[in-house]
Amino acid sequence: MLQMGADLCPLVLVPPRGTFFLFLLYLSLGTSCPQNCQCSDGSGLMTVHCSSKNLKEIPGDIPKNTVFLKLNANQLTQIPSHAFSGLTLLQELDLSQNTIEKLDVAAFQGLSSGLRLLDLSHNHLQSLPKEALVKLKAKIRLAHNPWHCECALQEVLWELKLDPVSINEMACQTSVREEAIGKPLVQVLDSGANFCSSHHKTTDIAMFITMFGWFAMVITYIIHYVRQNQEDARKHLEYLKNIDPGPLAMGGAPSTALELE
């Protein structure tokens, strides 16, 4: 039998320093919270409340396991590229009641298809970059923004999954069609109006004017060419008339040799 002597000590397993550091880092990612915000982790669903904190920028230390993120009622004016990169578990994002005027093309890049709701209502948006939203599968709230109703906006909205609750609250503050100003966008479209048809009509008119200009230039050139040739022909005829025709042309007598015969 193996007996433990006095000089033997119990074996203690000590994890490598690198492993211990990674463990602490993993814990910190799940428990950190942006300054002045409140974070709650109930049933494994991390909720981050940053409402009404006078924020002018998106916090950079949002926990990676955040599921619900509320950034409403702040002073955000734009959403920069990759603002929410790494938040792969995010399901709801509330950006309402800010002063957002611009969305960068890659503003929501990195959010997974798990995002269910994006609230951009009550902001200062007039238009939307198509590339920023078309890949999202979430319901999107866009009510109470000063929209400029035109073909580009109509084409973007055709490809989005709009929240049916707030879709009737999207109104045209300005528009390429005067009759649409001040009216709900859905009502304008339901009436048969098509912002893109007027856009195509304007394009067709511009093309017609361009083609007519080219046609007029060609006609002008042809007329100038014909007139120039006529002038050259007239000068040539006058030149021929001024040449001495000679005795034969004037009906003169035959040569002296023939008279002698």
Side-chain angles (χ1 to χ4, degrees):
M1 292 182 62
L2 178 63
Q3 295 182 354
M4 183 178 295
D7 56 343
L8 296 179
C9 298
L11 181 61
V12 178
L13 296 177
V14 179
R17 291 184 178 180
T19 304
F20 184 69
F21 174 79
L22 291 175
F23 178 73
L24 291 178
L25 179 61
Y26 174 80
L27 290 178
S28 65
L29 290 175
T31 58
S32 63
C33 190
Q35 186 177 5
N36 298 326
C37 298
Q38 289 79 41
C39 299
S40 59
D41 188 358
S43 303
L45 303 177
M46 174 66 73
T47 301
V48 179
H49 292 271
C50 298
S51 306
S52 304
K53 300 299 181 182
N54 296 321
L55 297 177
K56 296 182 179 180
E57 295 181 353
I58 307 295
D61 53 350
I62 300 173
K64 300 298 182 183
N65 60 340
T66 299
V67 177
F68 305 104
L69 177 57
K70 298 183 69 65
L71 291 165
N72 57 302
N74 282 291
Q75 299 179 25
L76 303 175
T77 58
Q78 70 172 357
I79 307 300
S81 298
H82 309 285
F84 308 100
S85 179
L87 302 181
T88 57
L89 300 180
L90 196 62
Q91 295 182 16
E92 294 186 11
L93 175 57
D94 189 353
L95 294 166
S96 64
Q97 298 178 341
N98 279 279
T99 56
I100 300 172
E101 299 178 351
K102 178 183 177 183
L103 301 175
D104 285 358
V105 172
F108 303 106
Q109 188 169 336
L111 294 178
S112 68
S113 58
L115 188 68
R116 299 181 305 183
L117 177 63
L118 172 60
D119 195 342
L120 288 166
S121 61
H122 294 275
N123 277 286
H124 293 176
L125 293 169
Q126 294 183 339
S127 61
L128 292 171
K130 183 177 180 179
E131 299 82 358
L133 298 171
V134 291
K135 293 183 179 180
L136 298 178
K137 301 184 183 297
K139 289 183 180 179
I140 303 177
R141 294 176 180 171
L142 298 171
H144 300 289
N145 280 278
W147 297 112
H148 176 64
C149 295
E150 58 174 346
C151 181
L153 179 63
Q154 179 177 328
E155 289 180 340
V156 174
L157 296 181
W158 275 339
E159 300 191 34
L160 298 183
K161 185 179 179 180
L162 299 177
D163 179 26
V165 176
S166 62
I167 192 172
N168 292 323
E169 298 175 352
M170 291 184 62
C172 302
Q173 179 164 311
T174 57
S175 176
V176 294
R177 304 172 68 104
E178 293 185 3
E179 67 273 16
I181 297 176
K183 295 181 180 179
L185 178 57
V186 174
Q187 177 182 332
V188 175
L189 296 177
D190 286 344
S191 67
N194 189 334
F195 297 103
C196 293
S197 64
S198 62
H199 172 75
H200 296 323
K201 183 178 180 180
T202 303
T203 303
D204 293 342
I205 292 175
M207 291 180 62
F208 175 78
I209 294 174
T210 302
M211 293 178 64
F212 180 80
W214 280 105
F215 180 75
M217 290 176 61
V218 172
I219 295 299
T220 302
Y221 174 78
I222 293 175
I223 293 174
H224 173 76
Y225 179 79
V226 171
R227 286 181 177 178
Q228 185 66 35
N229 284 349
Q230 288 178 343
E231 181 67 18
D232 292 342
R234 185 185 64 79
K235 290 180 180 180
H236 185 66
L237 289 174
E238 290 180 355
Y239 171 76
L240 293 176
K241 288 179 182 179
N242 293 329
I243 297 177
D244 185 5
L248 291 176
M250 297 179 64
S255 65
T256 306
L258 294 175
E259 289 179 355
L260 292 177
E261 294 179 358

